[in-house]
Structures are given as structure tokens and as C-alpha cells.
Amino acid sequence: NEYYLIKGTPAKGWIDILDEEDENRTDAYYFNSKGVSQKVKLIKDEKSTCTSRGYRLYECSTAPASERQHQVRYARGTGHEYDESRKCTVCGWQEVSIKDCDVSLKYKTYAYKGKAVKPEVTVSYKGKKLNYKYDYKLRYSDNAGVGTGTVSVDPKATYYLNMTENRGSLKAEDPVKLTFKIVPQAVSELKAKTGGKTYIKLSWNGSAGADSYKIYRYNSSKKKYVLSKTVSDTLCTVNKLSAGYSYSFKVYAYGKDTEGNTYKSSSASVKGITKPSTVNNVRLTSSSRAITVKWNKKSGSGYQIRYSTNSSFNSYKSSTVKGPDLNSKKLRNLTKGKKYYVKVRAYKSSV
């Protein structure tokens, strides 16, 4: 067994040890809970370049899952070694202007989540992606709330170990500026509760950066969502609906910047249903062991029928008629000579 002592105590876990023959190389070793050296395997070796910091990735199959892999980093890249024509003698990179690069944001719009928004920036030249912190740095402004933020992409001419020489991939010049929208975060936990025959109650969690909310309801005749209400709270009752129907809603959060400009979030969607109307004009026609039940049609998904020999319906049997256009049902296998009580109600299936 092999041990590695640190101040007389056996090492445990991953230990990085400088190679005695190569001062630029550090190897990794793993020691178990008893301090016994375990077999490790080098699974990736990515060298440092002029503008990146490489690493070696080790793995120990006998280590716990949370400790199975370990990374050892090489020394930082020291930047390009340019000749008089500003071409690197090591990697061949030709110094370029950031104005000739593709500088872009991943998205144009970002949701505000209660803290400063710092979108990712990509800088590339002829398909080669440049390195953040090595080749350029970012400065954000007006990004602490709803509004229009700005990010300045500054070429980084000097490198960590050569702060007096221009060894960066980009020429030392003015930055490129990009703007992006910061909108309120979309509402979450949007719920629709069946309130009655002509209204539905909506509720949701408040949105960071929002000062009002707009509720839109889908209008099937116009084939689009139409504004129903504007509220400042996270509760809303949508009225003037028809009984026994399902409805689709969208809720947007709205917020303003310091200059009063309005910004809208992405939408959150939900469906809700209204209670069906009371079934009326129930008619019964009896035969020897059956009763035919008829009623007036109502909007909904169908009808539920309960029938019992007891007027209090302490015990009963039931039958379902699916479809709002069917308005009759024959109840069979009844007890001859018994008096039956019947109830009919319309129902609307959940959406």
C-alpha cells in the first residue's frame, strides 16, 4: 500500500502533486478513507493555448460518486506572441478588430427575476469563438430592472501575466455596445377555479418587475384572444360568461421603466369551466319495470341522473348520458310497483 503524508497524517481524497521533472505539470492522486492510494485514470488532457487555460481530468473508479472525477488546471495562457505584422508566431492568429467580429446576444429579450440581468455574449471571428475574460470583458448598465439594458463588449488587449504588452486577440479600440430588453417575469402558478354559472376565478403568483396584469380570453367567433380585464392584484374574476362552457385565458405581466415606457412579459395560459345551468322541465314516463326520463337540453359535457325509492336519496343508483344534445334516458330493471324519485343535472368535464 502507498500512503502520502501531510504533516505526518495520511492524505485522504484527491491530492494534487507537482511533477518533480516538469514544474509546469501537476498530477492528481486519490487516497481512500484509510489513506491508501487508489488507481486513477487520466480521461482528458486539454492543453492551454495562447488564449485559454487547459486542464487534465482524472477519474478514480473506487471513489464515491461525488468524488469520482477531479480536474487539475494548467497554467493560464499568456496571450499571443505577435510579430511585426501582428500575427502570432505560436498559433498563427492574426490580430483583428472587434468591429469585424460577430458580436451577439443569445436572446434579445430577458425576464427580470429580481436581480440584475447579465445576458451571455458571444464573440466570434470567421467561425472561431473568442474567449470571455481572455479576449474581451463585459460591462453592463441599466440592467437592474425592467427596461432596456446595455452591455459594452471591450476588447482586452493585455493578459494576466503580460499586463504591459498587447497580446490579446483583438485590437485595443472602443467597445461594441449591444442593447437588450428586460421585461417582467411571466406569472407562475396560474390557476382557474370554477366559480359559478357565469364567472371563473383566476389566481397566480406575482411577477417580479410587474405593476399590472392583463387578462385575455379567447373569442371563438373572432378566433383570437381579446382583452377581458386589467388588474393590479394577483386575483381576478372574469364575469359575463355562459354556463356549461370551457374558456381559455392568457395572462401577461406589465411593468414600466424609469421613463414610463411599458414592457410586457411572455404569456401564461390556463383553461377554466363554468358550472352548467340547472336542468329544468324533467318529465317521467313509466312502464312495468322502466322509466323514461326526458329534460330540456343544457350546455355542458352531458348529464348525470340519480334515481332512488327514497325521496331523501340516502341510497341511490346513477346513470350518465354523455353529450349535451342527448336529452332522454330509459332506466331499466326497476322494481315493479315501487315509487321512484329522479334527479337530473348537467355536468361539464374538467379541461
Side-chain angles (χ1 to χ4, degrees):
N1 293 336
E2 294 184 11
Y3 298 86
Y4 184 77
L5 301 179
I6 300 177
K7 294 182 179 181
T9 302
K12 296 178 182 179
W14 287 100
I15 301 295
D16 300 338
I17 302 176
L18 186 66
D19 193 305
E20 295 180 353
E21 298 180 358
D22 184 357
E23 63 180 13
N24 294 317
R25 171 171 170 164
T26 300
D27 290 317
Y29 299 86
Y30 186 83
F31 300 87
N32 64 16
S33 60
K34 296 181 179 180
V36 179
S37 176
Q38 305 294 294
K39 184 178 180 180
V40 300
K41 180 182 179 181
L42 178 64
I43 59 176
K44 190 171 185 178
D45 188 358
E46 187 170 306
K47 306 293 185 184
S48 293
T49 68
C50 294
T51 60
S52 69
R53 187 174 186 179
Y55 64 92
R56 293 161 66 86
L57 185 62
Y58 293 85
E59 184 176 73
C60 177
S61 61
T62 58
S66 60
E67 301 179 2
R68 195 149 294 167
Q69 293 187 348
H70 179 71
Q71 186 184 101
V72 177
R73 304 189 73 181
Y74 281 109
R76 298 179 185 272
T78 58
H80 298 292
E81 296 185 16
Y82 287 122
D83 59 18
E84 293 181 356
S85 65
R86 302 301 289 173
K87 184 174 183 179
C88 181
T89 59
V90 177
C91 69
W93 175 264
Q94 181 69 54
E95 185 183 51
V96 297
S97 168
I98 193 171
K99 295 178 176 61
D100 295 325
C101 295
D102 178 17
V103 184
S104 61
L105 296 168
K106 188 173 183 179
Y107 304 106
K108 293 294 185 181
T109 302
Y110 296 83
Y112 178 65
K113 299 181 180 180
K115 60 182 180 180
V117 178
K118 296 182 178 181
E120 179 183 344
V121 177
T122 299
V123 180
S124 60
Y125 179 74
K126 293 184 177 180
K128 177 179 173 57
K129 186 176 179 180
L130 302 188
N131 293 315
Y132 171 56
K133 292 186 179 179
Y134 276 89
D135 295 319
Y136 60 91
K137 59 184 179 180
L138 304 175
R139 291 184 294 111
Y140 295 91
S141 58
D142 300 323
N143 64 324
V146 169
T148 299
T150 301
V151 55
S152 294
V153 187
D154 296 311
K156 195 166 186 178
T158 58
Y159 272 53
Y160 296 97
L161 302 182
N162 295 277
M163 300 303 289
T164 59
E165 299 180 38
N166 286 357
R167 290 194 170 201
S169 298
L170 301 170
K171 295 178 180 178
E173 55 188 352
D174 292 337
V176 169
K177 293 186 177 182
L178 304 174
T179 59
F180 52 94
K181 288 185 178 181
I182 306 173
V183 301
Q185 188 175 15
V187 304
S188 60
E189 298 297 321
L190 175 60
K191 298 176 182 178
K193 182 180 179 181
T194 301
K197 299 174 184 178
T198 60
Y199 65 93
I200 293 174
K201 294 182 177 181
L202 303 180
S203 64
W204 57 88
N205 288 345
S207 171
D211 53 29
S212 64
Y213 304 90
K214 291 188 177 183
I215 296 88
Y216 288 77
R217 176 169 64 86
Y218 185 76
N219 187 308
S220 56
S221 60
K222 295 181 179 181
K223 296 184 178 181
K224 66 178 183 179
Y225 282 86
V226 177
L227 179 63
S228 180
K229 272 192 174 183
T230 300
V231 299
S232 58
D233 201 355
T234 57
L235 297 170
C236 175
T237 299
V238 182
N239 297 297
K240 297 182 180 180
L241 306 178
S242 298
Y245 282 91
S246 63
Y247 292 89
S248 297
F249 300 94
K250 285 186 177 182
V251 177
Y252 294 87
Y254 283 77
K256 294 181 180 180
D257 62 13
T258 55
E259 296 180 355
N261 299 309
T262 301
Y263 295 81
K264 179 177 73 171
S265 73
S266 57
S267 66
S269 302
V270 71
K271 289 184 178 181
I273 59 175
T274 52
K275 291 181 179 179
S277 296
T278 302
V279 174
N280 54 18
N281 196 22
V282 179
R283 291 96 64 195
L284 305 179
T285 303
S286 61
S287 58
S288 61
R289 296 189 62 193
I291 295 176
T292 299
V293 186
K294 292 184 179 181
W295 57 88
N296 289 355
K297 296 178 182 178
K298 299 294 179 181
S299 297
S301 301
Y303 305 90
Q304 295 171 336
I305 303 169
R306 292 181 179 179
Y307 54 101
S308 173
T309 57
N310 189 317
S311 61
S312 62
F313 285 82
N314 292 329
S315 62
Y316 60 85
K317 291 184 180 181
S318 62
S319 180
T320 300
V321 177
K322 295 183 178 180
D325 294 330
L326 300 176
N327 64 331
S328 67
K329 175 69 176 180
K330 192 169 187 177
L331 307 178
R332 303 177 185 275
N333 300 320
L334 305 180
T335 302
K336 188 175 180 180
K338 281 282 188 180
K339 184 177 181 179
Y340 282 86
Y341 299 87
V342 180
K343 289 182 178 180
V344 181
R345 70 174 183 177
Y347 74 91
K348 178 64 180 175
S349 298
S350 59
V351 291

